Amino acid sequence: MLGMEFLVILGCLILGTRYGGMGLGLISGIGLFILTFVFHLQPGQPPVDVMLTILAVIGCASVLQTAGGLNVMMKVAERILRRHPAYITILAPVTTWTLTFLCGTGHVVYTMFPIIYDIAVKKGIRPERPMAVASVASQMGIGASPVSVSVVSMVSILAQAHGVGKAIGILDLLSVSIPSTLIGVIVAALWSMNRGKDLDKDEEFQAKLKDPEQKAYIYGSSETLLDKVFPKESYWATWIFFAAIGVVVLFGSFPNLLPSFGPAGKMKPLSMNLVIQMLMLIAGAIILIVCKVNQREISNGPVFKAGMVAIVSVFGVAWMSETFFHAHFDLLKSTLAGIVASKPWMYAIVLFLVSKLVNSQGAAVAAIAPLGLSLGVDPKMMVAFFSASYGYFVLPTYPSDLACIGFDRSGTTRIGKFIINHSFIAPGLIGVGVGCLTGYLLVSIFM
């Protein structure tokens, strides 16, 4: 029975990925129904706290995008890239990582792809070099952002877990995930500097240039935001959002600033989960009112749409997974607890594989992190291997990777003959591997 139940879950995940994040969440509902009505498993608890936090963050980020705040950030990023075109392979991934770090979503990278391509191809740099690693970096930045789905999910899950004598909060997580993901990105970028053939030695590329139409298509018109003029309200929105992130970090750094509640002698400070929700709602409200945002356009933006898909995905996948794991917890604990506790890298491998199955860092964390805690994995090791939640680059099916291929008119960023040998596999493995190793060293030394 256990094997059949697991096949139901695996089947739902595989089928769901064919229909995107929304399909993943909805089809997981089918699996949940089968587990409950066919195998008579008691439904687990849906991840309500995580979903509400995601909802608050996405609400704020959506208002920010509608106000033009994201465009302001990307204009600044483009100015930096165009000033140093020779270093595009290093600067592009650092820039996309930073944008994701600031905004909490990798979907902001789409506007940067045509800019990165234009700078690279006109500098004679193989576009695959900066573009592939920039796509990978935009997703690795999710693990470093205080307002990303995966980080707020992990903070919520670890809220009651303890490492060495104290609860692991958002500052503890970020103090490891920020440097580990950034170092992983930089190492992947350094490797990318010499990948593939130089354009002047690439026979396939040179053959395309012999066709005047192909040459015009490849070098095309320049894409730029530098000539765009944004209203002052767009800049206000950006600073309001940054201020809200700063306050989140401030409360995470100094828990004594939080009010405490509970019976006398058992007072506990307000959960950071609730603090993040409040501050994101407040920031969104201030931007909406002060920056004169057209509220009708908020729900039409890509950030809002992607966020709602993430909520449905986390809802279905995490609820279905919790139902299975809760029903068989005793068996799983007796079988896996010793192995996972003594070899925490096994947890990282499972998280990595599940991330590929669900195509979402947030959904993977919501499904696997509670299991890891239940099996006795040290929360510090879960923080160390947080980079492993990004595993969906293994197959080139994620929207940002597909968009990256589409924006590379030179054809150097591609899917290989054997599918697995695509442009993102090497920088992804390097980035995640180095990120996990760096996280492990930081936790071992400082935590």
Side-chain angles (χ1 to χ4, degrees):
M1 294 291 284
L2 178 65
M4 294 180 66
E5 294 164 8
F6 181 74
L7 287 176
V8 169
I9 294 177
L10 188 61
C12 288
L13 294 179
I14 293 174
L15 180 61
T17 55
R18 297 181 59 186
Y19 295 92
M22 181 68 74
L24 186 64
L26 297 175
I27 291 173
S28 293
I30 298 175
L32 177 64
F33 182 89
I34 294 173
L35 293 177
T36 303
F37 284 85
V38 177
F39 296 102
H40 302 289
L41 302 186
Q42 181 179 347
Q45 294 296 322
V48 176
D49 288 343
V50 173
M51 292 164 57
L52 291 177
T53 304
I54 297 171
L55 186 62
V57 170
I58 293 303
C60 179
S62 301
V63 177
L64 172 70
Q65 182 177 51
T66 307
L70 294 185
N71 286 333
V72 169
M73 295 184 209
M74 286 184 281
K75 182 177 180 178
V76 172
E78 181 184 356
R79 184 176 292 115
I80 294 172
L81 293 178
R82 290 195 182 276
R83 282 180 181 173
H84 308 281
Y87 302 101
I88 187 69
T89 306
I90 299 293
L91 292 178
V94 172
T95 299
T96 55
W97 179 92
T98 302
L99 287 171
T100 301
F101 165 74
L102 293 173
C103 305
T105 172
H107 294 289
V108 297
V109 76
Y110 299 126
T111 303
M112 295 305 301
F113 281 145
I115 295 170
I116 295 170
Y117 171 80
D118 183 67
I119 295 172
V121 77
K122 290 179 179 175
K123 188 64 179 176
I125 296 172
R126 186 181 181 87
E128 178 188 34
R129 293 173 180 174
M131 292 188 73
V133 72
S135 181
V136 168
S138 72
Q139 299 306 309
M140 290 195 66
I142 291 173
S145 174
V147 291
S148 71
V149 172
S150 65
V151 168
V152 298
S153 299
M154 195 64 160
V155 170
S156 176
I157 292 165
L158 292 176
Q160 302 304 319
H162 288 71
V164 183
K166 69 182 184 69
I168 293 179
I170 188 169
L171 190 64
D172 301 295
L173 177 59
L174 294 178
S175 65
V176 174
S177 68
I178 290 176
S180 61
T181 56
L182 180 57
I183 291 173
V185 165
I186 292 173
V187 174
L190 290 171
W191 176 87
S192 298
M193 291 186 71
N194 296 307
R195 72 175 307 183
K197 296 180 180 179
D198 293 336
L199 291 181
D200 59 351
K201 299 175 183 176
D202 189 325
E203 298 84 358
E204 184 178 345
F205 179 79
Q206 291 300 319
K208 290 180 180 179
L209 295 185
K210 294 178 181 178
D211 182 342
E213 290 186 6
Q214 280 274 41
K215 184 175 182 178
Y217 171 73
I218 289 171
Y219 285 98
S221 59
S222 297
E223 298 283 347
T224 182
L225 290 171
L226 296 181
D227 57 355
K228 306 288 190 213
V229 177
F230 301 112
K232 59 182 182 297
E233 287 83 4
S234 297
Y235 293 88
W236 295 351
T238 303
W239 287 113
I240 292 169
F241 184 70
F242 286 168
I245 294 177
V247 176
V248 168
V249 175
L250 177 67
F251 280 127
S253 305
F254 302 99
N256 56 310
L257 296 176
L258 300 172
S260 297
F261 303 95
K266 296 183 178 179
M267 302 276 285
K268 291 185 177 181
L270 183 66
S271 165
M272 273 303 297
N273 213 30
L274 296 178
V275 173
I276 294 172
Q277 293 174 20
M278 293 178 190
L279 289 173
M280 288 296 101
L281 290 175
I282 291 170
I286 294 175
I287 294 172
L288 179 67
I289 296 169
V290 173
C291 301
K292 303 174 184 177
V293 178
N294 183 353
Q295 67 270 22
R296 295 180 181 177
E297 295 298 320
I298 295 173
S299 59
N300 293 326
V303 170
F304 182 86
K305 293 177 181 178
M308 293 304 104
V309 169
I311 290 176
V312 174
S313 179
V314 168
F315 181 31
V317 171
W319 195 7
M320 178 180 67
S321 302
E322 163 64 16
T323 298
F324 174 78
F325 292 135
H326 181 75
H328 301 291
F329 173 69
D330 291 336
L331 176 60
L332 291 171
K333 185 174 183 179
S334 62
T335 305
L336 300 175
I339 299 175
V340 176
S342 62
K343 299 177 181 178
W345 50 267
M346 290 291 294
Y347 163 81
I349 292 176
V350 172
L351 180 62
F352 182 85
L353 294 176
V354 170
S355 170
K356 175 54 223 162
L357 286 175
V358 300
N359 266 355
S360 166
Q361 295 182 51
V365 167
I368 299 304
L371 175 64
L373 290 173
S374 301
L375 293 177
V377 179
D378 189 335
K380 294 185 298 179
M381 290 297 102
M382 296 173 65
V383 170
F385 295 127
F386 192 49
S387 296
S389 61
Y390 172 45
Y392 43 82
F393 65 84
V394 173
L395 293 178
T397 58
Y398 198 70
S400 62
D401 294 339
L402 296 175
C404 182
I405 294 171
F407 280 118
D408 183 356
R409 300 194 298 270
S410 71
T412 58
T413 307
R414 67 185 80 182
I415 298 174
K417 179 180 179 181
F418 303 102
I419 307 299
I420 195 71
N421 58 329
H422 53 80
S423 295
F424 312 98
I425 188 72
L429 289 173
I430 293 171
V432 171
V434 172
C436 288
L437 177 60
T438 304
Y440 180 79
L441 293 175
L442 290 173
V443 166
S444 299
I445 296 171
F446 299 108
M447 292 182 69

